[in-house]
Amino acid sequence: LRLFEEKIVMHAPMQEVWGYQPCLWKMILVGVGAVCSGGLLLLLLYWLPEWGVKSTCTPTSLRDAQTLLLRTTVGKDLARLTCATSFIQYFVHHSTKYYWNDVIVLLVDFHMDNNNNPCPYAFFLFFFFFYQVLNPFYIFQLFSVILWSTDSYYYYASAIVFMSIISIVTSLYTVKKQYVMLRDMVAAHSVVRVSVCRGNEDTEQAMSTELVPGDVIIIPANGMIMPCDAILFNGTCIVNESMLTGESVPVTKTSLPSSDEEATRAYDIEEHKKHTLFCGTHVIQTRFYAGELVKALVVRTGFSTEKGQLVRSILYPKPTDFKLYRDAYLFLLCLVGVAGVGFLYTIILSIMNKVPANTIVIESLDIITITVPPALPAAMTAGIVFAQRRLKRIGIFCISPQRINMCGQLNVVCFDKSLIVKSNLHLYYSFRPPESEAAKAGLVNSTFVACMATCHSLTKIEGELSGDPLDLKMFSATGWVLEEPTEEETALHNLIMPTVVRPPKNFIHEANQNNPLTQNMELSELPACEIGIVRQFPFSSALQRMSVVVRRLGEKHMEAFLKGAPEVVASLCKQHTVPQSFTETLETYTRQGFRVIALAHRQLESKLSWHKVQNLSRDVLETNMEFLGLIIMQNKIKEETAGVLCELRHANIRTLMVTGDNMLTAISVARDCGMVLPHEKVIIADALPPKDFHPASITWHYTEAPTQICSFGSVINLEEIMYDGQVSQPEQSYHFAVSGRAFAVITEHFPQLVQKLVLKATVFARMAPDQKTQLVEVLQGIDYIVGMCGDGANDCGALKRAHSGISLSELEASVASPFTSSTSNISCVPNLIREGRAALITSFCVFKFMALCSIIQYLSVTLLYSILSNLGDFQFLFIDIAIILITVFTMSLNPAWKELVLRRPPSSLISGPLLFSVLTQILTCLAFQVLAFLLVKEQSWYEIWTPQSDACNVSSSSPSPSVNETIPHDHKNIKNYENTTLFYVSCFQYLAVAIIFSKGKPFRQPSYKNSVMIKCCSSCFSASPQLVCVPHDWRVTLVIIVIVNAVVSFLFEMSIDRWGRPFLSWLFCRRNKPPRVRYRHLALELQEDTDWPPKPSTVTYARLVYHCGTCNCLLCC
């Protein structure tokens, strides 16, 4: 191991690690500094752990290190080393142990598997409480409370302490509630009793917490909730994976292949997903074997399981990198700068007036506590909390509330085709005239219908057929019956009792009436058409097909049936069995928007026994098939689809279709639903990988625009669809369509074209699950804020990767995506975007209001300092509690606007119009406070304050107090006319800016519909005049001042909303400034590129790179 600055590169999410050991002299210096600073230095080092390590430790090798500094994908963190033995050390990071020794240089992670309950409940609550109390904002509040108590503001300080306690307790209660729910969810499978195989025959009962990788567990016939990840190597299981994927349709898990090439490959979680039982999923039932048990091998436990990793992502969420929060800290730094100016002003003014030193310290520090609002974080989350509640009322559930604000910035949404259309089944049999029903008597004994009736993954759960909706439609179209053996029937036989499908007896009788050999037989004498399903290879998204091995009743040989994508099935068939018109027929139907599935058949050798079939490789089975025909499924656009896509287009939000279906079918559906308009061209990018010294190439095919739109069941008024307001119509006249195979080739061999294609691509067909995730990453790479709407099964990766992933599921919530909608259509997408925009605007409004309230109070106190006065205890209490606190929470109650608009809410606090708005309001408030402050001194009844003065008891008309009357002295100079005047004016300024900043249309409902806020503001308006002590005539004057102030502030804000951005662009000569976001910059580049898009039927070649053996260099051509 290298010494000193040793750095080891690691895998994601951890990338680098440095070793440190304690340094005595550094620790002594830090201790002295902590004592001298009253503990503030320790707090600073706690908030900045990297500084804490470097200030108390020295770099060393990992062999001698006691503390590690880790750099992960989300930032830097610390870990403490522990010695497992004298040779092996480890550290724990995010519930994962990392081991290494002197031999192993690269760090390897071994997940904590001694406890399957990934929820350290009590420890986490204590840690969270400690974290909350030492939060910088609470430390600042503690400092403020001590300062105010020193200045005799006891009531106000007590109120702030009470509010802080309530805030901490509320946070702890919320966290406790979430973790109790999480713990209960995990405990349902973490602590159960399981049967573990010991040796060949012995089994014993053990707790699931005792399981380790390598154990063999028995899956009971009645199912169980899996306590670990396990590979199924004996038997078949029906599993509900809705907790992981959000998909409520049960899936079939088959045993791991045990022979041929597939059995020699190393286990991979993605490749062998169909053979893996995941932790937390519900095994509904198993296919029972007589004398044999359904067994699975434990591969992962605890946090290392699929669900454990998802739970860990909840325990340790990745920080949301949203520009709003970064800008909020910059804005707070600006307020700190303003506080610094007031701090110096107070010191200078107090010295000039010969104020005592202790008073100077208190008042100068008091200015800082006034300027920086400590309740800002809680106030900014109010809008998110209310938005989350509104989303829940409309059936949208959220497990990541911080992403709600991101939804307000979405500018592209990817949809799976299955969410846009619904399918009806129509048959086109063996390239003969189409048949409307598969259950016709003449087709009962056909191989085509037998393939439809058997090639599926359906099962019976509580007497009802369950499985993939497509399989259900196909099977119901045949009219056949599915029968599964019971456990008692299976126990009577030595071999497995297969699932049997057969047509109804009346179908058999009707079919045999036309047969001369059987038309005179009785019904009981007719030959049966029962077919047993011997083995099943489930559908694979990567392979785009599924197959089954069956055996007909009375037959000695077995058969194989195959179903899948037409191109894939045709490539696996004998060429002479595929009709010559296959390509033309397929293109004809896919151009019309039909979904096409191909069927194939193969008769297996009679020598194949049941045991041999169980060990047969899938690749060997699915070859030399005989083509049977095509199943045509009509795609009907869902009723809600057209309106939703039109609304998104009006709002200038791109919509993409990402599907595993055929390219031409996807293009047709895109035209039908309005993603592609009738006059727009679609360019198919057909890419081929390099082969035989020929470089990779892309052929650009222009599809024919249909003469009319084929809208199956839906009418779309395309004339009402609006173009993108920020790009010209010629730029919108074409769309790219890319297949999954082409996407992989282009990503590898044409990286310079990927962003150009994605910028204008609308249709992505035959996309694998991992390719959907790659697409989302490419879109994010050109600065799009991406939304993904999927079904949760094959879209899990993309749903998690997107800024806003929406899974359509009947569950209340799933860990498949941040958002889960209980509706079965895409109408949830505009609802989520509207609520996101409302929450985002609320965050901006609250931030502006809190910042301006601090500045208004800062101005009032600064003016009063000039006469050696200040606001009183109850005045501070009334302003912060009765006005600011109540208003800031009620202004967050405005619901979202009823429709999406073209304009998007701002994403940054550091923007010209927003800063201009805040600055104009500050200057307006300052002007009217100074006006009132100076005008009150010009009144005839005004008198300069003395310790005996009391503005509440002295006026021009009141008699002088008698000599014997005792008047309490006002040593703090609070009861004076300047104080009461500024208090009155500032109270109305708080309420005025609250109403002005609480904007409605186009993102939120108008404020007058927020009845709670209106009532609270009205109460404050009516209460404020009663709290000040000035003559009646002066009150009338102050009412006029505050009304004019409100009108001027309102006019300024309206003017900035309408003309602020153009005025600032003109003022700073930035009208021709290039766009900041990458996708707009790229669009401008492509507009100037005369060679883009490529011409029809042209071919683009990749550069070939050769390695020169002579000079060891790379040659490009």
PDB file of all heavy atoms in Angstrom, residues 1037-1053:
ATOM      1  N   THR A1037     -54.478  59.976   8.910  1.00  0.00           N
ATOM      2  CA  THR A1037     -53.348  60.239   8.002  1.00  0.00           C
ATOM      3  C   THR A1037     -52.567  58.968   7.727  1.00  0.00           C
ATOM      4  O   THR A1037     -52.159  58.695   6.591  1.00  0.00           O
ATOM      5  CB  THR A1037     -52.424  61.299   8.624  1.00  0.00           C
ATOM      6  OG1 THR A1037     -53.187  62.478   8.919  1.00  0.00           O
ATOM      7  CG2 THR A1037     -51.297  61.655   7.677  1.00  0.00           C
ATOM      8  N   LEU A1038     -52.341  58.155   8.768  1.00  0.00           N
ATOM      9  CA  LEU A1038     -51.616  56.906   8.582  1.00  0.00           C
ATOM     10  C   LEU A1038     -52.382  55.933   7.689  1.00  0.00           C
ATOM     11  O   LEU A1038     -51.772  55.201   6.894  1.00  0.00           O
ATOM     12  CB  LEU A1038     -51.335  56.251   9.936  1.00  0.00           C
ATOM     13  CG  LEU A1038     -50.318  56.962  10.842  1.00  0.00           C
ATOM     14  CD1 LEU A1038     -50.156  56.215  12.150  1.00  0.00           C
ATOM     15  CD2 LEU A1038     -48.977  57.091  10.146  1.00  0.00           C
ATOM     16  N   VAL A1039     -53.714  55.922   7.812  1.00  0.00           N
ATOM     17  CA  VAL A1039     -54.522  55.059   6.930  1.00  0.00           C
ATOM     18  C   VAL A1039     -54.318  55.458   5.471  1.00  0.00           C
ATOM     19  O   VAL A1039     -54.149  54.609   4.589  1.00  0.00           O
ATOM     20  CB  VAL A1039     -56.003  55.119   7.319  1.00  0.00           C
ATOM     21  CG1 VAL A1039     -56.863  54.445   6.258  1.00  0.00           C
ATOM     22  CG2 VAL A1039     -56.235  54.464   8.665  1.00  0.00           C
ATOM     23  N   ILE A1040     -54.295  56.762   5.223  1.00  0.00           N
ATOM     24  CA  ILE A1040     -54.060  57.232   3.848  1.00  0.00           C
ATOM     25  C   ILE A1040     -52.666  56.823   3.370  1.00  0.00           C
ATOM     26  O   ILE A1040     -52.482  56.382   2.231  1.00  0.00           O
ATOM     27  CB  ILE A1040     -54.235  58.769   3.781  1.00  0.00           C
ATOM     28  CG1 ILE A1040     -55.680  59.146   4.127  1.00  0.00           C
ATOM     29  CG2 ILE A1040     -53.836  59.299   2.414  1.00  0.00           C
ATOM     30  CD1 ILE A1040     -55.910  60.632   4.239  1.00  0.00           C
ATOM     31  N   ILE A1041     -51.659  56.934   4.257  1.00  0.00           N
ATOM     32  CA  ILE A1041     -50.288  56.570   3.884  1.00  0.00           C
ATOM     33  C   ILE A1041     -50.201  55.091   3.523  1.00  0.00           C
ATOM     34  O   ILE A1041     -49.608  54.723   2.497  1.00  0.00           O
ATOM     35  CB  ILE A1041     -49.319  56.914   5.030  1.00  0.00           C
ATOM     36  CG1 ILE A1041     -49.186  58.434   5.173  1.00  0.00           C
ATOM     37  CG2 ILE A1041     -47.944  56.292   4.779  1.00  0.00           C
ATOM     38  CD1 ILE A1041     -48.337  58.857   6.355  1.00  0.00           C
ATOM     39  N   VAL A1042     -50.805  54.229   4.355  1.00  0.00           N
ATOM     40  CA  VAL A1042     -50.682  52.792   4.081  1.00  0.00           C
ATOM     41  C   VAL A1042     -51.483  52.396   2.840  1.00  0.00           C
ATOM     42  O   VAL A1042     -51.087  51.478   2.104  1.00  0.00           O
ATOM     43  CB  VAL A1042     -51.115  51.968   5.306  1.00  0.00           C
ATOM     44  CG1 VAL A1042     -50.199  52.232   6.483  1.00  0.00           C
ATOM     45  CG2 VAL A1042     -52.556  52.209   5.685  1.00  0.00           C
ATOM     46  N   ILE A1043     -52.602  53.069   2.574  1.00  0.00           N
ATOM     47  CA  ILE A1043     -53.370  52.767   1.354  1.00  0.00           C
ATOM     48  C   ILE A1043     -52.566  53.141   0.115  1.00  0.00           C
ATOM     49  O   ILE A1043     -52.460  52.371  -0.846  1.00  0.00           O
ATOM     50  CB  ILE A1043     -54.725  53.494   1.377  1.00  0.00           C
ATOM     51  CG1 ILE A1043     -55.638  52.882   2.445  1.00  0.00           C
ATOM     52  CG2 ILE A1043     -55.395  53.416   0.008  1.00  0.00           C
ATOM     53  CD1 ILE A1043     -56.958  53.582   2.606  1.00  0.00           C
ATOM     54  N   VAL A1044     -51.968  54.348   0.151  1.00  0.00           N
ATOM     55  CA  VAL A1044     -51.126  54.756  -0.983  1.00  0.00           C
ATOM     56  C   VAL A1044     -49.937  53.813  -1.124  1.00  0.00           C
ATOM     57  O   VAL A1044     -49.550  53.431  -2.242  1.00  0.00           O
ATOM     58  CB  VAL A1044     -50.662  56.216  -0.787  1.00  0.00           C
ATOM     59  CG1 VAL A1044     -49.684  56.622  -1.881  1.00  0.00           C
ATOM     60  CG2 VAL A1044     -51.857  57.162  -0.777  1.00  0.00           C
ATOM     61  N   ASN A1045     -49.360  53.421   0.005  1.00  0.00           N
ATOM     62  CA  ASN A1045     -48.244  52.468  -0.010  1.00  0.00           C
ATOM     63  C   ASN A1045     -48.669  51.166  -0.688  1.00  0.00           C
ATOM     64  O   ASN A1045     -47.953  50.627  -1.552  1.00  0.00           O
ATOM     65  CB  ASN A1045     -47.798  52.204   1.425  1.00  0.00           C
ATOM     66  CG  ASN A1045     -46.577  51.298   1.499  1.00  0.00           C
ATOM     67  OD1 ASN A1045     -46.072  50.803   0.514  1.00  0.00           O
ATOM     68  ND2 ASN A1045     -46.106  51.063   2.712  1.00  0.00           N
ATOM     69  N   ALA A1046     -49.830  50.624  -0.319  1.00  0.00           N
ATOM     70  CA  ALA A1046     -50.302  49.366  -0.902  1.00  0.00           C
ATOM     71  C   ALA A1046     -50.547  49.503  -2.399  1.00  0.00           C
ATOM     72  O   ALA A1046     -50.189  48.615  -3.180  1.00  0.00           O
ATOM     73  CB  ALA A1046     -51.571  48.909  -0.188  1.00  0.00           C
ATOM     74  N   VAL A1047     -51.148  50.640  -2.810  1.00  0.00           N
ATOM     75  CA  VAL A1047     -51.427  50.844  -4.238  1.00  0.00           C
ATOM     76  C   VAL A1047     -50.129  50.941  -5.038  1.00  0.00           C
ATOM     77  O   VAL A1047     -49.986  50.329  -6.104  1.00  0.00           O
ATOM     78  CB  VAL A1047     -52.282  52.117  -4.433  1.00  0.00           C
ATOM     79  CG1 VAL A1047     -52.403  52.463  -5.913  1.00  0.00           C
ATOM     80  CG2 VAL A1047     -53.661  51.913  -3.822  1.00  0.00           C
ATOM     81  N   VAL A1048     -49.166  51.702  -4.519  1.00  0.00           N
ATOM     82  CA  VAL A1048     -47.886  51.852  -5.226  1.00  0.00           C
ATOM     83  C   VAL A1048     -47.172  50.504  -5.311  1.00  0.00           C
ATOM     84  O   VAL A1048     -46.633  50.124  -6.371  1.00  0.00           O
ATOM     85  CB  VAL A1048     -47.010  52.900  -4.510  1.00  0.00           C
ATOM     86  CG1 VAL A1048     -45.601  52.904  -5.102  1.00  0.00           C
ATOM     87  CG2 VAL A1048     -47.631  54.283  -4.621  1.00  0.00           C
ATOM     88  N   SER A1049     -47.152  49.737  -4.217  1.00  0.00           N
ATOM     89  CA  SER A1049     -46.506  48.424  -4.229  1.00  0.00           C
ATOM     90  C   SER A1049     -47.178  47.490  -5.225  1.00  0.00           C
ATOM     91  O   SER A1049     -46.510  46.755  -5.962  1.00  0.00           O
ATOM     92  CB  SER A1049     -46.547  47.802  -2.823  1.00  0.00           C
ATOM     93  OG  SER A1049     -45.832  48.576  -1.897  1.00  0.00           O
ATOM     94  N   PHE A1050     -48.507  47.541  -5.262  1.00  0.00           N
ATOM     95  CA  PHE A1050     -49.246  46.690  -6.192  1.00  0.00           C
ATOM     96  C   PHE A1050     -48.938  47.055  -7.647  1.00  0.00           C
ATOM     97  O   PHE A1050     -48.715  46.175  -8.487  1.00  0.00           O
ATOM     98  CB  PHE A1050     -50.745  46.803  -5.915  1.00  0.00           C
ATOM     99  CG  PHE A1050     -51.599  45.995  -6.841  1.00  0.00           C
ATOM    100  CD1 PHE A1050     -51.726  44.629  -6.680  1.00  0.00           C
ATOM    101  CD2 PHE A1050     -52.284  46.603  -7.883  1.00  0.00           C
ATOM    102  CE1 PHE A1050     -52.513  43.882  -7.539  1.00  0.00           C
ATOM    103  CE2 PHE A1050     -53.070  45.864  -8.749  1.00  0.00           C
ATOM    104  CZ  PHE A1050     -53.190  44.491  -8.569  1.00  0.00           C
ATOM    105  N   LEU A1051     -48.912  48.356  -7.949  1.00  0.00           N
ATOM    106  CA  LEU A1051     -48.620  48.800  -9.314  1.00  0.00           C
ATOM    107  C   LEU A1051     -47.198  48.421  -9.722  1.00  0.00           C
ATOM    108  O   LEU A1051     -46.959  48.008 -10.867  1.00  0.00           O
ATOM    109  CB  LEU A1051     -48.832  50.308  -9.431  1.00  0.00           C
ATOM    110  CG  LEU A1051     -50.285  50.793  -9.300  1.00  0.00           C
ATOM    111  CD1 LEU A1051     -50.342  52.312  -9.346  1.00  0.00           C
ATOM    112  CD2 LEU A1051     -51.151  50.195 -10.404  1.00  0.00           C
ATOM    113  N   PHE A1052     -46.253  48.561  -8.805  1.00  0.00           N
ATOM    114  CA  PHE A1052     -44.877  48.167  -9.110  1.00  0.00           C
ATOM    115  C   PHE A1052     -44.800  46.675  -9.439  1.00  0.00           C
ATOM    116  O   PHE A1052     -44.151  46.280 -10.415  1.00  0.00           O
ATOM    117  CB  PHE A1052     -43.959  48.495  -7.931  1.00  0.00           C
ATOM    118  CG  PHE A1052     -43.345  49.858  -7.997  1.00  0.00           C
ATOM    119  CD1 PHE A1052     -43.380  50.711  -6.892  1.00  0.00           C
ATOM    120  CD2 PHE A1052     -42.734  50.319  -9.153  1.00  0.00           C
ATOM    121  CE1 PHE A1052     -42.829  51.974  -6.946  1.00  0.00           C
ATOM    122  CE2 PHE A1052     -42.172  51.575  -9.212  1.00  0.00           C
ATOM    123  CZ  PHE A1052     -42.210  52.410  -8.106  1.00  0.00           C
ATOM    124  N   GLU A1053     -45.475  45.861  -8.623  1.00  0.00           N
ATOM    125  CA  GLU A1053     -45.404  44.415  -8.835  1.00  0.00           C
ATOM    126  C   GLU A1053     -46.070  44.011 -10.150  1.00  0.00           C
ATOM    127  O   GLU A1053     -45.557  43.154 -10.886  1.00  0.00           O
ATOM    128  CB  GLU A1053     -46.071  43.685  -7.662  1.00  0.00           C
ATOM    129  CG  GLU A1053     -45.864  42.179  -7.645  1.00  0.00           C
ATOM    130  CD  GLU A1053     -44.428  41.775  -7.380  1.00  0.00           C
ATOM    131  OE1 GLU A1053     -43.648  42.633  -6.901  1.00  0.00           O
ATOM    132  OE2 GLU A1053     -44.082  40.609  -7.656  1.00  0.00           O
TER     133      GLU A1053
END
